[in-house]
Amino acid sequence: MFGDLFDEDFSFISNNHWGKGKTSKPRECEPPAPRDFTNLSGIKNQGGTCYLNSLLQTLLFTPEFREALFSLGPEELGTLDDSRKPDAKVRIIPLQLQRLFAQLLLLDQQAASTTDLTESFGWNSHEEMRQHDVQELNRILFSALETSLVGTSGHDLINRLYHGIVVNHIVCKECKNVSERQEDFLDLTVAVKGVAGLEEALWNMYVEEEYFENDNLYRCGACDKLVEASKSAKLRKLPPFLTVSLLRFNFDFEKCERYKETSCYTFPLHIDLRPFCEQPEMDDSEYMYELFSVIIHKGGCYGGHYHVYIRDVDELGNWQLQEEEEKLIEDKAGRDAENSKETENPLAVLKGILAEEDSKQIPVDQLGQKLLEKKGVSWNKKYRKQYGALRKYLQHHPQVFQLSPDANKVGLKEAHELLVELDSPGQALQSPPQSNGVPWNSEKNPLRPRATSAGGHWFDLNDSKVQPIKEKDIEKQFQGKESAYMLFYRKSQLKRPPEARGNPRYQIPEHLLDEMNAANTELQKKRAECDSANNGIDLHLHLSSCYKFHNGALHPSLSWKESVVDLTIDRRKTLGDLRQAVFQMLDSWEGDMVLSLAKPLPAGLHLYQMLDGDELSLDGVGVADGTDIFVWNGKEVGGTRVLAGAEHEPVVLNVLRLAGHNEGGKGQHFTEAQHTFSCSTSLGDLHRALAPSGGIVLRNSSGEEKEAKNWEVFHEEDMEETIRSVGLRDGCSVLILDSHDQSFVNISSGNLTAFTCDISWLQVKNFCGAEDEENQVKITATIETVMSDIKMKAIRELHLEEELANESCLRPVSGNGKLLSPVPEDYTVKEAELKMGSLLGLCHGKAPTSTQLFLYFMVGSDPNSSPEMEIVVEETASVGECLNLMLQKCGLSGDNWHLRRLDWCYEAGEALSQENATLKELNVCRGDTLVIMEGKLPEKGFLKIPIWWLRPSSRKKHGENAQDQVNGLTCQMEALQVSAGTASPEATHPAMELCYAGRIEIAGEASLEELKLQALTLPCYQEQVVPLPSFLRAWTVDSKRPGKLLRNNKQRLNDYKLGASMGICIEPLQKEENLGPHELLLRVQMGIPGERDYSDCRDLVWDVSKECTTWALRQRVASHYCLPVEKIEIAKYFPERFEWLPISSWTQQISKRKRRKKQESLQSAPYHLRDGDIIGVKNLLLDDTKDFSTVRDDIGKEKQRQLALEKKKSRQARSVQEPFSLEEKLPTKPRKPEVALSINVGVFR
């Protein structure tokens, strides 16, 4: 559907080394492709305009519409040139439609653009990307044209061609009074669901009568009472062109979703509308219509693609199928004929069996048994593989078979008649059944022949693509996801004049003919230029006088630009033409001229074959765009003989040698140099040129582009091989080892495998001296080098005292400059997991051994209040011993402490609860950070839970400041007086009367009831009188406010999965409470009339087991306040945003993939209703304002706004220092709003 929307244009540049590559032209510069063999033009898809393209093509191939539009001249419509003048009344939409039709008829291009037309509609790029319904567009476009043509001779164009009248009659059974109502139409909308085809749908609409009887009576105007009556409709006036819209999109009220009706829906190529008309006595030709356009929709109800089948009435197109396609069709027809002989048509067999039965219907199982008796073979064995199950086959042919409601019995329909004869077995179409004893008139509807009707062939116009189709292809659009959506019929009596046949210029105004002729001339000119540019190739001529030969290749003696001459020539010319063009360009050339193909290589320019044979084409000798050609005498260059051909190609090898301690760049352990050799050079010559006496040459056996890990030595027997024969190519590496470097090589089994890839260096920086003495050195090492050796080398290189070796260690330095844990000195580089080139710090202090752990620790989880300290302990030390050592180092005492790990959020995480376990057993690793936390850990199986006290909310006193309240809940916090040793870890809740009461230690197996009883023993509960635990309500504490409500007093605490830091708040109740699992606890508060405030909150228990919908909640709240449901409004409060969301009747949109049984649930988006939510209530009998906000909400929002401004200023200040912030790199993309289809039209009345 989206056409070429996402295609991008790129300019490709030649990758030759001389910088003379040809740059291809962008696609915008290329002219559009000419029309294909059909001689018809498609329309480009702008992204989502396939629905528009299909309708425009239908209007174009409606000759009467097209010619009526062309008959309106500039004197009535104005001109496009005047459209920008302020006072000019230019009817842009008809003008652009004229111009588009002229382009589609005359302009030699594969597809026309609708950009100018959609701009005249007032559409922007977003509208062009949005797909709409073509039936809706048809009505809107006709309305826009009618408005645009007001005051012109075409003011009645739409009515003249498409306007029809339907008349509705209601006949009183008693007084026979007839009530009549007339309706106009531009298109007929017919049902698809439950209907076999178009004629049956029209029969139901305009032949069958509807009766008013029993409880459904009609009030007669003449009788002035309720009476029995009949209602019917007829077509009073038929338009020349009948547009039929099929209702394929329906809504399933059980599933609450839209769906597309894909069942079989037939429609005839010719239709007689006499049975549906009010006046059937006119001539037959007045009622006969023939199909000329079918708009097809492919996809589902939420998206898809449109294209159109159109009959070429004026025979403007060239209709012919490809020969291969014709052959395939003939072969298929032959195979079908053979298959039909071998396999009988099951439809005929089943019809024959049912016709012999006396009863109207027989069981389906009995039909299968009779088939077995008659044919000697069962349905499953003979037909199931091709046609499916028997019952399903019967259901797929409702026009022939009539199934009972339970689908257990089947019979033949009493009257059916085939409209279109089909080739494939088992398919048939029927006309509507008899209704009210009025049979179909078979004489008026004879069987139609399959040959193409006079007046044009059929084409499929699919956006830019146009292809011929056969008439029988229309039958494929009767059903399925790709099926007919709109039908267009024309009266059969509308005949076209002979001069219009095959004449696209017919009735087109002169000014448009002139414009299209000029456009075609310009197109031909551009295509000629493009053809020349596409076939023109750029050659790079290298002149021998500007080159010299050294180091095995040709190199320019001047600059690259001065050494190369560009020549452009047509690729279709011959080698003789090329030679003559070179002679003409180099008129000063003396002597023989030889042209040779050349190729830039890493070593330089190398020559290949000589170009001989003047009669050969350039393509034939391999001359293409960007080819390099060397012009010389064929023997020598600058007095040096040059060997040409692939066997003498120069090869550039990377020659590696082991680097010294201070050689090589960062991260390198080799010195590298490039040498050039001919590919025919022997390895013996290579060894003598590179390796000194006693040296060896090795090659990398891992491949050219792989990491160098394995090296192989060249043996004596390989010295006669050439560089090419052993696989050395440009860029390959060879390693040269002198005699003193071979200590790094492991010699085994007569073959050499060098581990030089592991030889590198480490950087060591001195942190032991003063700042001005800091410096660093490189230390050569392998992965097997021991860290103690590296330390000693570094001390010597830094010229430090040897005694420092016993009082120093090596510590890796992180990317941000932090010193990491020291590395044990008995570790190798590999065991220490150090990367070559890493930076190490030489620091004071002894390094831990391999059995010791270096750990970081802090007191409390806040890094700002406690500095990070270091300690070395044995890995076999217990948690208790480690804790004591850490307490001793930081100067703390007592046993009211425990250790926790630092999690990835840099917060105190998992507790090390097993004091006797060793650090090794608990997987504490070198470099881990531990946190010393105050308080003893509970025993295993016990929980230490902070308890909070939730006080009942109180009303605001007169004169109290609104800022001290949040929606009726006064924040009067009384600080709990506790000793310094048992200070509250949290402040009181900012929005509720929530006070810290203390901590309790309780077993995880204890019940919620036991927790409540133990909480009552805390000091702040001593004065409370609570008869039973059921008079207490327990909540989890989430973000310093009540979170999840804990139900079921008998449930174990472990079942609630309380976290390590999860608190519980206790709320006292006035009466006993035992909430069930499906009961929702809400806090409702009634608005005070005339004030922006609420009364005290009340608890409301709502059973949501049956439904959790808006209507159910409104009923529950209304009954709670004894008010009518329609006289209240409710809203949910979001305290974190200080906002109210009204709870009104709404329908939750749920996609087909995410379909749920419980729809419209308030527990899902956008309300997410849960326990403890505040529901505001407005009594519309006393207060008709629907604003739920309070003064406190205004104050809260203002504070949030001020805070947001401060954050914005802070970000802007940071962006000055860091201009490339993440927010600027990743802008958020706004969501596209849903908008209705519209066309903007000027005023011309």
Side-chain angles (χ1 to χ4, degrees):
M1 179 182 110
F2 293 97
D4 298 330
L5 177 65
F6 301 107
D7 288 353
E8 296 182 6
D9 303 324
F10 299 93
S11 298
F12 298 96
I13 300 176
S14 174
N15 60 352
N16 69 68
H17 292 227
W18 316 101
K20 295 289 183 180
K22 179 182 178 182
T23 302
S24 62
K25 295 183 180 179
R27 283 176 52 181
E28 301 94 44
C29 300
E30 296 182 4
R35 302 188 182 208
D36 56 18
F37 70 96
T38 63
N39 199 34
L40 297 179
S41 175
I43 301 178
K44 295 178 184 177
N45 193 326
Q46 296 188 51
T49 57
C50 55
Y51 68 103
L52 173 65
N53 297 348
S54 301
L55 183 60
L56 290 175
Q57 292 283 20
T58 299
L59 296 178
L60 173 71
F61 284 91
T62 308
E64 292 76 7
F65 176 88
R66 180 181 74 223
E67 291 162 8
L69 188 64
F70 281 144
S71 67
L72 303 173
E75 64 278 358
E76 292 187 279
L77 302 181
T79 62
L80 292 175
D81 295 335
D82 296 336
S83 60
R84 298 188 179 275
K85 295 180 180 179
D87 299 331
K89 282 195 173 183
V90 180
R91 306 168 193 268
I92 300 181
I93 293 178
L95 286 172
Q96 290 291 4
L97 202 55
Q98 281 184 346
R99 190 165 178 266
L100 175 64
F101 282 0
Q103 291 174 352
L104 291 171
L105 290 170
L106 300 177
L107 201 57
D108 185 20
Q109 59 182 4
Q110 184 178 5
S113 173
T114 57
T115 304
D116 293 337
L117 179 64
T118 53
E119 285 181 358
S120 72
F121 291 168
W123 293 359
N124 53 28
S125 58
H126 297 292
E127 190 65 45
E128 291 154 359
M129 285 291 299
R130 211 178 271 118
Q131 190 184 95
H132 291 281
D133 183 70
V134 69
Q135 297 175 3
E136 179 188 11
L137 173 69
N138 184 57
R139 299 186 182 103
I140 292 175
L141 181 58
F142 279 5
S143 175
L145 282 173
E146 282 186 318
T147 306
S148 298
L149 298 177
V150 168
T152 69
S153 59
H155 65 92
D156 61 343
L157 185 153
I158 301 299
N159 279 342
R160 191 170 69 245
L161 298 179
Y162 297 95
H163 176 257
I165 299 176
V166 174
V167 60
N168 295 286
H169 296 282
I170 300 180
V171 181
C172 175
K173 294 291 186 179
E174 295 191 8
C175 68
K176 306 303 180 182
N177 178 60
V178 179
S179 175
E180 180 180 297
R181 183 169 56 88
Q182 186 172 288
E183 295 179 359
D184 300 324
F185 71 87
L186 295 178
D187 65 287
L188 293 179
T189 302
V190 297
V192 174
K193 183 178 180 182
V195 183
L198 174 61
E199 291 180 315
E200 182 179 344
L202 294 175
W203 187 278
N204 295 339
M205 293 170 64
Y206 302 116
V207 176
E208 291 188 349
E209 294 183 344
E210 178 185 355
Y211 295 98
F212 297 97
E213 54 190 7
N214 299 327
D215 294 336
N216 182 27
L217 297 177
Y218 168 71
R219 178 170 292 278
C220 177
C223 302
D224 196 20
K225 63 179 180 179
L226 295 174
V227 295
E228 292 185 353
S230 63
K231 180 182 178 182
S232 63
K234 290 287 183 181
L235 295 171
R236 173 166 288 180
K237 178 195 171 188
L238 294 176
F241 296 92
L242 180 65
T243 304
V244 182
S245 300
L246 307 184
L247 282 176
R248 286 205 177 268
F249 296 128
N250 288 319
F251 189 82
D252 190 330
F253 288 95
E254 292 183 359
K255 299 179 180 179
C256 285
E257 65 178 12
R258 296 176 64 201
Y259 71 96
K260 181 179 179 180
E261 188 66 53
T262 58
S263 59
C264 181
Y265 190 89
T266 64
F267 47 88
L269 298 176
H270 298 80
I271 187 169
D272 183 3
L273 297 181
R274 181 190 296 272
F276 317 120
C277 291
E278 184 184 31
Q279 302 168 351
E281 65 277 359
M282 292 188 295
D283 187 69
D284 289 351
S285 61
E286 293 290 335
Y287 305 106
M288 294 303 298
Y289 282 77
E290 57 187 21
L291 185 70
F292 77 96
S293 176
V294 182
I295 292 182
I296 299 156
H297 180 265
K298 179 181 180 181
C301 58
Y302 296 106
H305 177 65
Y306 290 96
H307 63 108
V308 61
Y309 286 177
I310 287 181
R311 185 161 63 88
D312 184 11
V313 177
D314 279 351
E315 299 181 4
L316 302 177
N318 179 24
W319 188 92
Q320 60 178 14
L321 294 176
Q322 302 295 329
E323 294 181 1
E324 295 180 1
E325 185 180 350
E326 289 283 2
K327 185 178 179 181
L328 290 174
I329 292 175
E330 292 175 2
D331 294 342
K332 184 179 184 301
R335 290 195 301 270
D336 290 345
E338 294 177 2
N339 294 337
S340 62
K341 294 178 182 178
E342 298 174 2
T343 305
E344 288 185 88
N345 187 345
L347 185 67
V349 176
L350 296 176
K351 283 168 59 180
I353 294 174
L354 292 173
E356 295 173 358
E357 294 296 319
D358 297 332
S359 57
K360 291 185 177 181
Q361 288 190 333
I362 64 173
V364 176
D365 296 337
Q366 186 178 341
L367 177 62
Q369 183 64 31
K370 288 184 177 293
L371 175 67
L372 176 63
E373 294 172 359
K374 186 171 184 178
K375 295 297 179 183
V377 63
S378 67
W379 172 275
N380 289 344
K381 188 169 289 187
K382 189 169 185 178
Y383 299 109
R384 184 184 179 95
K385 185 174 181 181
Q386 184 175 357
Y387 298 102
L390 175 59
R391 196 181 308 272
K392 189 174 181 181
Y393 179 81
L394 297 173
Q395 291 172 346
H396 283 176
H397 295 80
Q399 60 271 49
V400 179
F401 305 107
Q402 185 169 0
L403 287 165
S404 60
D406 57 359
N408 289 328
K409 290 186 177 183
V410 64
L412 284 176
K413 285 200 172 181
E414 293 181 2
H416 64 272
E417 179 179 353
L418 298 180
L419 295 177
V420 182
E421 183 179 336
L422 299 176
D423 290 339
S424 42
Q427 294 184 2
L429 306 174
Q430 85 173 65
S431 64
Q434 296 183 13
S435 178
N436 298 332
V438 182
W440 243 171
N441 189 345
S442 59
E443 294 180 1
K444 300 296 182 182
N445 292 275
L447 293 178
R448 286 16 174 227
R450 292 190 50 78
T452 306
S453 60
H457 296 274
W458 286 86
F459 292 88
D460 178 13
L461 291 95
N462 190 346
D463 288 339
S464 301
K465 186 178 180 182
V466 181
Q467 59 183 8
I469 60 170
K470 288 193 172 183
E471 196 173 82
K472 66 178 182 181
D473 292 334
I474 301 173
E475 301 163 7
K476 300 175 184 178
Q477 309 304 331
F478 286 166
Q479 61 186 349
K481 287 189 174 180
E482 183 176 7
S483 50
Y485 191 58
M486 285 188 77
L487 308 175
F488 297 84
Y489 287 87
R490 57 183 287 126
K491 277 193 175 182
S492 301
Q493 67 179 8
L494 295 175
K495 303 299 181 183
R496 299 293 296 148
E499 58 269 21
R501 298 280 179 173
N503 181 13
R505 306 170 68 87
Y506 183 70
Q507 295 292 338
I508 297 181
E510 285 296 326
H511 69 279
L512 286 176
L513 289 175
D514 295 340
E515 181 183 347
M516 294 304 110
N517 289 336
N520 278 324
T521 303
E522 185 65 22
L523 274 177
Q524 292 175 3
K525 179 181 177 183
K526 286 185 177 180
R527 288 189 181 122
E529 294 173 354
C530 185
D531 179 71
S532 175
N534 289 338
N535 288 293
I537 56 176
D538 290 336
L539 305 181
H540 309 306
L541 304 180
H542 303 263
L543 308 181
S544 61
S545 58
C546 302
Y547 279 81
K548 57 184 178 181
F549 185 84
H550 69 90
N551 206 13
L554 291 165
H555 299 270
S557 55
L558 304 174
S559 64
W560 299 116
K561 187 175 182 180
E562 295 173 333
S563 304
V564 181
V565 178
D566 287 340
L567 172 65
T568 301
I569 191 171
D570 195 311
R571 69 173 69 248
R572 294 167 289 192
K573 290 191 175 183
T574 63
L575 192 56
D577 297 329
L578 172 62
R579 198 181 307 277
Q580 184 177 1
V582 175
F583 265 119
Q584 292 175 356
M585 179 178 290
L586 307 177
D587 52 359
S588 60
W589 186 272
E590 296 180 358
D592 296 336
M593 176 184 288
V594 176
L595 303 181
S596 296
L597 291 179
K599 184 179 179 181
L601 299 177
L605 191 69
H606 183 66
L607 305 184
Y608 291 86
Q609 71 185 75
M610 293 185 181
L611 298 178
D612 293 326
D614 289 349
E615 71 283 355
L616 298 177
S617 66
L618 296 181
D619 280 338
V621 295
V623 176
D625 187 38
T627 300
D628 295 279
I629 295 179
F630 194 74
V631 184
W632 63 316
N633 58 14
K635 298 178 182 178
E636 59 184 16
V637 175
T640 305
R641 184 167 177 266
V642 177
L643 298 177
E647 63 275 11
H648 298 293
E649 275 186 5
V651 177
V652 178
L653 299 179
N654 294 327
V655 180
L656 307 178
R657 300 178 187 273
L658 288 183
H661 289 173
N662 295 316
E663 293 180 330
K666 183 178 181 181
Q668 296 177 348
H669 43 271
F670 296 118
T671 59
E672 181 176 345
Q674 291 187 337
H675 293 262
T676 304
F677 299 91
S678 172
C679 65
S680 58
T681 302
S682 67
L683 293 183
D685 294 338
L686 177 71
H687 185 275
R688 285 186 288 274
L690 298 179
S693 177
I696 57 176
V697 181
L698 302 98
R699 60 177 287 184
N700 177 16
S701 61
S702 298
E704 177 184 343
E705 297 183 358
K706 296 182 181 178
E707 185 181 356
K709 288 188 177 180
N710 297 316
W711 295 85
E712 294 178 357
V713 69
F714 286 123
H715 300 284
E716 287 293 333
E717 56 269 22
D718 297 330
M719 293 302 162
E720 299 300 323
E721 298 286 342
T722 63
I723 288 178
R724 170 170 286 177
S725 64
V726 296
L728 291 177
R729 299 289 183 268
D730 283 315
C732 286
S733 299
V734 294
L735 176 64
I736 309 299
L737 290 183
D738 297 332
S739 57
H740 61 275
D741 291 329
Q742 296 179 27
S743 60
F744 287 109
V745 178
N746 181 21
I747 303 176
S748 60
S749 304
N751 193 13
L752 297 179
T753 303
F755 300 99
T756 53
C757 61
D758 300 324
I759 304 172
S760 188
W761 44 264
L762 297 170
Q763 299 179 85
V764 179
K765 188 174 184 179
N766 178 20
F767 284 93
C768 293
E771 292 185 3
D772 54 351
E773 296 179 358
E774 286 188 9
N775 50 10
Q776 64 185 52
V777 293
K778 286 183 181 179
I779 303 298
T780 304
T782 70
I783 59 174
E784 300 298 332
T785 305
V786 181
M787 298 304 298
S788 58
D789 294 341
I790 295 175
K791 185 177 73 171
M792 292 305 299
K793 288 182 180 179
I795 291 175
R796 286 194 292 269
E797 292 283 345
L798 292 169
H799 306 290
L800 301 177
E801 299 179 358
E802 296 286 341
E803 291 78 9
L804 190 61
N806 298 325
E807 300 175 359
S808 62
C809 61
L810 292 177
R811 300 181 65 171
V813 182
S814 67
N816 57 8
K818 179 183 177 181
L819 288 172
L820 304 180
S821 58
V823 182
E825 293 192 352
D826 53 349
Y827 273 23
T828 62
V829 173
K830 184 177 182 180
E831 290 172 339
E833 299 179 355
L834 294 176
K835 294 181 180 179
M836 288 304 175
S838 299
L839 177 62
L840 299 174
L842 182 64
C843 307
H844 286 292
K846 286 191 175 183
T849 64
S850 57
T851 61
Q852 290 180 326
L853 296 176
F854 178 90
L855 302 175
Y856 300 96
F857 71 96
M858 64 175 67
V859 180
S861 58
D862 186 5
N864 297 323
S865 60
S866 173
E868 193 176 63
M869 291 175 278
E870 303 168 351
I871 192 172
V872 177
V873 295
E874 294 289 336
E875 63 180 10
T876 55
S878 65
V879 173
E881 293 170 347
C882 179
L883 175 61
N884 291 331
L885 290 173
M886 290 179 177
L887 291 173
Q888 184 178 357
K889 188 163 186 177
C890 60
L892 297 175
S893 59
D895 57 355
N896 192 32
W897 305 93
H898 67 275
L899 283 178
R900 290 182 179 269
R901 299 180 190 267
L902 192 70
D903 62 13
W904 63 277
C905 294
Y906 295 97
E907 296 178 353
E910 176 193 359
L912 303 181
S913 55
Q914 304 177 36
E915 290 192 359
N916 296 324
T918 64
L919 299 177
K920 185 177 182 179
E921 292 171 347
L922 296 179
N923 293 324
V924 177
C925 303
R926 176 168 56 93
D928 283 355
T929 302
L930 302 180
V931 183
I932 301 175
M933 299 294 293
E934 190 173 6
K936 296 197 68 174
L937 287 172
E939 298 181 10
K940 186 177 181 181
F942 280 76
L943 301 173
K944 202 164 187 178
I945 302 175
I947 301 296
W948 300 76
W949 178 251
L950 185 63
R951 298 176 182 272
S953 59
S954 59
R955 287 285 302 132
K956 178 180 70 173
K957 298 178 183 179
H958 181 69
E960 189 175 346
N961 191 347
Q963 295 189 24
D964 298 330
Q965 298 214 352
V966 178
N967 292 293
L969 299 180
T970 310
C971 298
Q972 295 177 343
M973 299 304 172
E974 299 178 4
L976 193 65
Q977 300 297 326
V978 293
S979 63
T982 60
S984 166
E986 296 285 352
T988 54
H989 190 278
M992 306 285 287
E993 293 188 14
L994 194 66
C995 296
Y996 180 71
R999 291 179 181 269
I1000 62 172
E1001 191 170 320
I1002 188 170
E1005 295 296 322
S1007 65
L1008 179 62
E1009 183 178 31
E1010 292 171 333
L1011 180 140
K1012 292 178 179 179
L1013 290 174
Q1014 191 166 342
L1016 290 175
T1017 62
L1018 294 173
C1020 70
Y1021 293 110
Q1022 298 292 332
E1023 299 178 358
Q1024 298 293 328
V1025 178
V1026 179
L1028 293 171
S1030 55
F1031 281 80
L1032 293 176
R1033 186 183 291 155
W1035 306 78
T1036 61
V1037 177
D1038 184 12
S1039 300
K1040 299 183 181 180
R1041 70 175 66 217
K1044 179 183 177 183
L1045 179 62
L1046 303 181
R1047 293 173 165 82
N1048 192 354
N1049 285 331
K1050 303 300 181 182
Q1051 192 164 347
R1052 298 180 308 168
L1053 297 179
N1054 284 340
D1055 295 338
Y1056 290 112
K1057 297 181 180 179
L1058 302 175
S1061 58
M1062 179 65 74
I1064 301 292
C1065 70
I1066 304 296
E1067 179 184 1
L1069 304 175
Q1070 297 298 322
K1071 59 181 180 180
E1072 193 173 4
E1073 179 182 81
N1074 191 6
L1075 295 177
H1078 299 293
E1079 289 180 319
L1080 201 61
L1081 176 66
L1082 303 175
R1083 303 189 189 273
V1084 295
Q1085 52 186 27
M1086 177 65 73
I1088 301 175
E1091 299 183 25
R1092 295 181 64 194
D1093 204 353
Y1094 293 88
S1095 58
D1096 290 339
C1097 283
R1098 297 185 184 181
D1099 290 344
L1100 174 68
V1101 178
W1102 178 31
D1103 187 359
V1104 296
S1105 57
K1106 294 182 180 179
E1107 57 178 343
C1108 185
T1109 61
T1110 301
W1111 178 249
L1113 177 59
R1114 289 171 64 88
Q1115 283 184 315
R1116 180 69 185 90
V1117 174
S1119 63
H1120 180 75
Y1121 283 104
C1122 300
L1123 291 171
V1125 178
E1126 65 274 8
K1127 295 301 179 182
I1128 65 167
E1129 290 290 339
I1130 57 177
K1132 178 189 170 180
Y1133 184 60
F1134 291 87
E1136 66 278 2
R1137 303 199 304 263
F1138 298 99
E1139 291 180 354
W1140 294 86
L1141 179 60
I1143 302 177
S1144 56
S1145 297
W1146 55 282
T1147 302
Q1148 187 178 11
Q1149 298 295 327
I1150 298 179
S1151 66
K1152 186 175 181 181
R1153 294 183 180 179
K1154 298 182 179 179
R1155 199 162 51 230
R1156 299 177 183 175
K1157 293 182 179 179
K1158 292 186 179 180
Q1159 298 184 9
E1160 206 178 294
S1161 173
L1162 293 179
Q1163 291 180 311
S1164 59
Y1167 298 103
H1168 299 289
L1169 212 59
R1170 63 174 188 172
D1171 292 308
D1173 280 348
I1174 297 174
I1175 304 296
V1177 185
K1178 290 282 187 178
N1179 183 356
L1180 300 182
L1181 296 173
L1182 302 176
D1183 186 2
D1184 58 354
T1185 61
K1186 297 185 179 181
D1187 181 16
F1188 285 85
S1189 64
T1190 65
V1191 177
R1192 292 173 294 279
D1193 296 331
D1194 297 341
I1195 296 172
K1197 285 184 179 180
E1198 180 61 24
K1199 288 184 177 180
Q1200 286 185 339
R1201 191 182 69 84
Q1202 293 294 340
L1203 184 60
L1205 286 175
E1206 292 177 3
K1207 289 183 178 179
K1208 184 178 180 181
K1209 291 179 181 178
S1210 177
R1211 285 195 300 268
Q1212 290 174 347
R1214 287 198 303 268
S1215 65
V1216 174
Q1217 301 174 355
E1218 301 175 6
F1220 300 103
S1221 65
L1222 183 62
E1223 295 174 356
E1224 293 174 349
K1225 290 180 181 178
L1226 302 174
T1228 57
K1229 187 177 181 181
R1231 296 183 62 182
K1232 296 180 180 178
E1234 295 184 4
V1235 295
L1237 179 64
S1238 64
I1239 296 178
N1240 300 329
V1241 187
V1243 179
F1244 302 104
R1245 298 186 184 275

